[in-house]
């Protein structure tokens, strides 16, 4: 027998075995369960929901883009936008910029203990005509609108704040509930909070999920994944698992333990994760 034919026949026999293996499965309706209206999908069963894409409803602001979004704001005469330093994408001559800290001591505490910026930037429309400007996150991220009339006192991850409209917004700092959370929770010694009325805008990377926790309900999340939560949510820490898991599982020693009630916002690609992946690629000589 010609030995050169053996590999071909071997491959043919393997292919026949594979075909025989898959033939009984050809008629299985794999997607049948996905079209059953009475069956809840994994996301719905988890209690999370994905905020629907923003649709402009005629208001003064609009969010455009997909993964790296832009906030477009139309300011009437005398109206202003407050945002993080460096967030402005474009403006026009009729809009005047100014800078403030909200108070020296608060600015120092916010900068040194919460990892936030010392300054806030204000863009005020000094004309009598409507003017438009745009604001964008400091990294590829989505813009998340938050109704402060409902969620005033929201606790934010450091550098989650992007912008807000008007001057009816104030910032504060909240102490973590335990020393362990302050030292091991990855959120800093103090947690930034935001109060006021109107709409504030946060930035979050990747896919954003939200969930309303019931009283006493516990959720364990990666310490970088938290974007914001209501002040009623208790933020604690828990061990990431066994000793082997803590040192080799890739989650660090601790994860965040969130206890309801209240709203929780999570992100799939935090700035820290994106930066670590980029640095790892550069370290391997990636272009």
């Amino acid at each position: 027998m010609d030995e050169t034919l053996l590999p071909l026949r071997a491959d043919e026999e393997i292919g026949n075995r594979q075909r025989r293996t898959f033939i009984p499965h050809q008629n299985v309706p794999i997607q049948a369960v996905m079209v059953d209206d009475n069956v809840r999908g994994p996301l719905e069963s988890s209690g999370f929901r994905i905020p629907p894409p923003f649709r402009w409803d005629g208001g003064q602001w609009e969010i455009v883009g997909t993964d790296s979004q832009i906030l477009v704001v139309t300011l009437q005469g005398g109206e202003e936008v407050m945002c993080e330093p460096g967030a402005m994408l474009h403006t026009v001559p009729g809009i005047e910029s100014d800078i403030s800290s909200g108070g020296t001591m608060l600015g120092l505490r916010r900068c040194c203990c919460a990892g936030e910026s010392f300054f806030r930037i204000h863009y005020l429309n000094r004309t009598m005509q409507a003017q438009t400007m745009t604001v964008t996150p400091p990294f590829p991220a989505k813009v998340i609108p938050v109704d402060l009339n409902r969620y005033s006192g929201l606790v934010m991850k450091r550098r989650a704040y992007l912008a807000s409209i008007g001057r009816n917004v104030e910032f504060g700092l909240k102490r973590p509930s335990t020393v362990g959370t302050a030292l091991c929770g990855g959120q800093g010694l103090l947690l930034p909070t935001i109060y006021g009325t109107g709409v504030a805008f946060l930035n979050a990377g990747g896919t954003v999920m939200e969930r309303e926790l019931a009283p006493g309900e516990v959720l364990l999340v990666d310490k970088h994944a938290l974007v914001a939560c209501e002040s009623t949510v208790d933020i604690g820490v828990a061990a990431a698992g066994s000793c082997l898991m803590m040192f080799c599982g890739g989650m660090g020693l601790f994860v965040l333990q969130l206890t309801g009630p209240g709203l929780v916002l999570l992100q799939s690609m935090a700035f820290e994760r994106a930066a670590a992946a980029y640095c790892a690629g550069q370290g391997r000589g990636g272009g």
Side-chain angles (χ1 to χ4, degrees):
M1 182 182 296
D2 189 352
E3 293 183 357
T4 59
L5 298 179
L6 289 178
L8 297 178
R9 293 182 178 180
D11 291 343
E12 183 178 358
E13 290 177 1
I14 293 174
N16 288 335
R17 287 199 299 269
Q18 289 177 339
R19 284 193 291 273
R20 286 195 297 271
T21 300
F22 288 111
I23 284 175
H25 298 276
Q26 287 180 349
N27 296 323
V28 175
I30 298 175
Q31 299 296 329
V33 69
M34 303 303 293
V35 298
D36 188 345
D37 293 336
N38 296 321
V39 177
R40 302 171 65 191
L43 178 65
E44 185 180 0
S45 299
S46 73
F48 282 99
R49 65 182 294 268
I50 305 296
F54 173 79
R55 297 183 181 277
W56 185 62
D57 60 358
Q60 71 175 128
W61 56 270
E62 182 178 4
I63 297 172
V64 299
T66 53
D67 293 327
S68 186
Q69 294 184 325
I70 298 172
L71 172 64
V72 186
V73 182
T74 298
L75 298 175
Q76 302 297 327
E79 290 185 332
E80 73 170 61
V81 165
M82 179 171 63
C83 63
E84 280 286 281
M88 185 271 291
L89 181 62
H90 104 276
T91 186
V92 294
I95 297 179
E96 181 181 289
S97 61
D98 193 12
I99 189 169
S100 70
S101 64
T104 303
M105 292 306 299
L106 178 60
L108 286 173
R109 291 174 61 199
R110 188 172 62 232
C111 179
C112 298
C113 301
E116 286 284 304
S117 300
F118 182 85
F119 295 106
R120 303 293 188 200
I121 310 301
H122 304 265
Y123 292 94
L124 174 64
N125 182 5
R126 291 288 188 182
T127 71
M128 300 302 294
Q129 299 178 343
Q131 305 285 353
T132 300
M133 66 171 295
T134 52
V135 176
T136 187
F139 68 104
K142 292 182 171 62
V143 179
I144 311 300
V146 176
D147 183 5
L148 292 181
N149 296 313
R150 180 178 179 183
Y151 296 111
S152 182
L154 195 73
V155 180
M156 304 177 294
K157 175 187 175 71
R158 56 186 175 182
R159 300 193 181 280
Y161 171 78
L162 175 65
S164 54
I165 301 175
R167 284 188 174 268
N168 297 324
V169 173
E170 296 182 359
F171 298 91
L173 296 170
K174 178 182 178 180
R175 293 181 180 179
S177 57
T178 65
V179 176
T181 303
L183 298 179
C184 306
Q187 308 302 307
L189 298 178
L190 297 173
L191 303 172
T193 57
I194 183 170
Y195 300 85
T197 58
V199 181
F201 302 91
L202 311 181
N203 44 232
T207 300
V208 178
M209 302 194 305
E210 62 182 35
R211 178 172 172 177
E212 288 277 354
L213 295 180
E217 186 177 9
V218 176
L219 190 67
L220 301 178
V221 303
D222 172 62
K223 60 185 179 182
H224 298 309
L226 180 65
V227 179
C229 63
E230 284 190 82
S231 58
T232 53
V233 176
D234 180 68
I235 303 175
V237 292
S242 64
C243 290
L244 185 62
M245 180 65 187
M246 293 171 70
F247 288 99
C248 304
M251 302 304 297
L253 300 179
F254 299 96
V255 295
L256 287 181
Q257 178 175 289
L258 308 178
T259 305
L263 174 72
V264 172
L265 292 174
L266 302 182
Q267 60 186 342
S268 66
M269 184 54 68
F271 173 79
E272 295 86 352
R273 281 183 174 272
Y278 176 79
C279 292
Q282 291 296 309
R284 291 194 296 266

